[in-house]
């Protein structure tokens, strides 16, 4: 995620992928699971994909049951937040023993206690990123004598796929913030929500409407998106870039 630019005094120290930090978490740490409550847990499309697979439900059912939508955002796209327990204000998937969906936990939970910012060079498409520590008063993890290289932490927490897919979402946010889209209307918003957060409906849109009569999709890619949800999500980002930002990511069939 790309945070708002802080003042120089408040700005966290920028850390490279090769820098070290000291941290450990688990039942042996006094604050175990305290970070799982009283927070706004933003869920990306890839988070929704992984969690719906973990729970064996459709993405639509997951959205309806476990999330709340936020319409007003800096970038103009709606966002989804995890719906916290009304009484405890804690994540519905946290237990005294830890996270019950740990294998497919959201990216924000995986990378904690780090934050990540990434930018794309508009001229050559190269990616630049840096990390920073997220310091919270309740967290005792920094007091543990376990040193990590950020590179190793990212790999250990399985963040590579999350970073790669979430960067595609961030590109949409940046483009929208810079005003490089068509004039948004309700149809565009619904298109974004379907493509990014309702893969079952988006797959039907691709295969059961007139989509493939208007747009050319390579046979190998078509084979993948028919059964592979991750490939379909990547295709969804290309579709949004075509539909909302007029980029040539989808080929129109010449008549």
């Amino acid at each position: 995620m790309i945070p708002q630019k802080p003042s120089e005094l408040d700005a966290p120290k920028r850390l490279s992928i090769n820098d070290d930090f000291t941290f450990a978490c688990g039942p042996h740490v006094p604050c175990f699971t305290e970070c799982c409550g009283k927070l706004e847990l933003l869920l990306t499309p890839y988070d929704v994909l992984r969690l719906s697979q973990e729970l064996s439900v459709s993405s639509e059912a997951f959205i309806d049951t476990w999330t709340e939508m936020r319409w007003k955002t800096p970038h103009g796209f709606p966002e989804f937040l995890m719906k916290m327990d009304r009484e405890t204000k804690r994540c519905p998937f946290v237990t005294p023993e830890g996270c019950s969906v740990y294998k497919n936990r959201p990216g924000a939970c995986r990378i904690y206690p780090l934050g990540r910012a990434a930018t794309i060079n508009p001229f050559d498409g190269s990616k630049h990123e840096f990390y920073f520590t997220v310091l919270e008063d309740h967290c005792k993890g920094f007091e543990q004598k376990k040193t990590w290289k950020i590179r190793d932490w990212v790999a250990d927490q399985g963040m590579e796929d999350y970073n790669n897919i979430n960067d595609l979402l961030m590109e949409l946010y940046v483009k929208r913030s810079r005003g490089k889209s068509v004039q948004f209307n309700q149809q565009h918003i619904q298109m974004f929500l379907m493509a990014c957060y309702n893969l079952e409906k988006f797959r039907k849109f691709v295969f059961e409407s007139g989509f493939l009569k208007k747009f050319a999709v390579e046979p190998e890619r078509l084979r993948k998106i028919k059964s592979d949800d991750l490939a379909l999500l990547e295709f969804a980002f290309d579709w949004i870039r075509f539909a909302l930002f007029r980029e040539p990511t989808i080929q129109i069939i010449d008549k």
Side-chain angles (χ1 to χ4, degrees):
M1 304 284 295
I2 301 176
Q4 294 181 346
K5 185 177 181 181
S7 68
E8 290 298 321
L9 290 177
D10 296 331
K13 180 182 178 181
R14 294 191 176 196
L15 303 171
S16 77
I17 200 76
N18 294 312
D19 283 327
D20 297 335
F21 74 106
T22 301
F23 181 81
C25 186
H28 64 287
V29 181
C31 61
F32 184 55
T33 77
E34 283 193 32
C35 57
C36 302
K38 298 180 181 178
L39 77 160
E40 288 191 343
L41 179 53
L42 183 66
L43 299 175
T44 68
Y46 190 52
D47 290 329
V48 172
L49 166 59
R50 293 282 295 262
L51 287 165
S52 61
Q53 290 177 340
E54 168 73 21
L55 299 167
S56 298
V57 299
S58 68
S59 53
E60 183 174 13
F62 178 83
I63 289 290
D64 289 344
T65 305
W66 284 289
T67 76
E68 297 176 325
M69 183 183 290
R70 178 162 61 192
W71 285 97
K72 293 184 178 180
T73 62
H75 43 70
F77 288 105
E79 297 174 334
F80 289 95
L81 304 171
M82 186 74 81
K83 186 186 297 182
M84 298 294 161
D85 183 272
R86 289 185 178 181
E87 294 183 1
T88 66
K89 309 301 181 184
R90 287 166 64 78
C91 175
F93 301 112
V94 67
T95 72
E97 292 74 36
C99 178
S100 64
V101 293
Y102 188 79
K103 181 180 177 181
N104 290 293
R105 65 199 184 282
C109 304
R110 287 174 181 270
I111 199 172
Y112 187 86
L114 299 179
R116 174 180 177 266
T119 59
I120 303 294
N121 188 311
F123 299 104
D124 61 14
S126 61
K127 184 186 300 182
H128 301 277
E129 66 177 9
F130 69 87
Y131 293 81
F132 53 91
T133 53
V134 178
L135 302 174
E136 297 183 303
D137 292 339
H138 68 260
C139 184
K140 306 300 181 183
F142 292 103
E143 299 173 5
Q144 310 305 305
K145 299 185 182 301
K146 173 68 174 178
T147 299
W148 296 84
K149 279 198 176 298
I150 290 180
R151 179 189 304 278
D152 295 335
W153 178 260
V154 169
D156 184 75
Q157 300 302 307
M159 278 302 301
E160 291 98 334
D161 287 344
Y162 282 80
N163 287 346
N164 290 335
I165 301 301
N166 291 342
D167 283 351
L168 299 178
L169 178 66
M170 292 304 107
E171 288 182 36
L172 299 184
Y173 288 174
V174 171
K175 290 177 186 294
R176 174 61 177 157
S177 297
R178 292 175 178 173
K180 294 185 177 182
S181 64
V182 299
Q183 185 64 41
F184 263 25
N185 59 35
Q186 189 61 31
Q187 182 179 1
H188 294 127
I189 293 296
Q190 292 303 320
M191 185 185 302
F192 168 78
L193 290 172
M194 174 189 67
C196 294
Y197 291 98
N198 192 334
L199 289 181
E200 295 84 9
K201 189 173 182 179
F202 182 58
R203 182 174 277 120
K204 288 183 179 180
F205 170 69
V206 173
F207 289 99
E208 299 180 17
S209 72
F211 185 94
L212 295 177
K213 294 180 180 179
K214 299 178 181 178
F215 304 102
V217 183
E218 302 87 341
E220 178 61 19
R221 191 175 200 188
L222 198 61
R223 182 189 66 80
K224 287 183 177 179
I225 66 177
K226 199 165 189 176
S227 58
D228 186 326
D229 286 343
L230 177 55
L232 182 63
L233 180 57
E234 291 174 334
F235 183 74
F237 286 122
D238 278 349
W239 168 247
I240 294 300
R241 289 173 64 181
F242 172 85
L244 299 190
F245 300 98
R246 305 185 188 279
E247 294 186 9
T249 51
I250 303 291
Q251 182 180 352
I252 301 175
I253 296 177
D254 294 328
K255 294 184 179 180

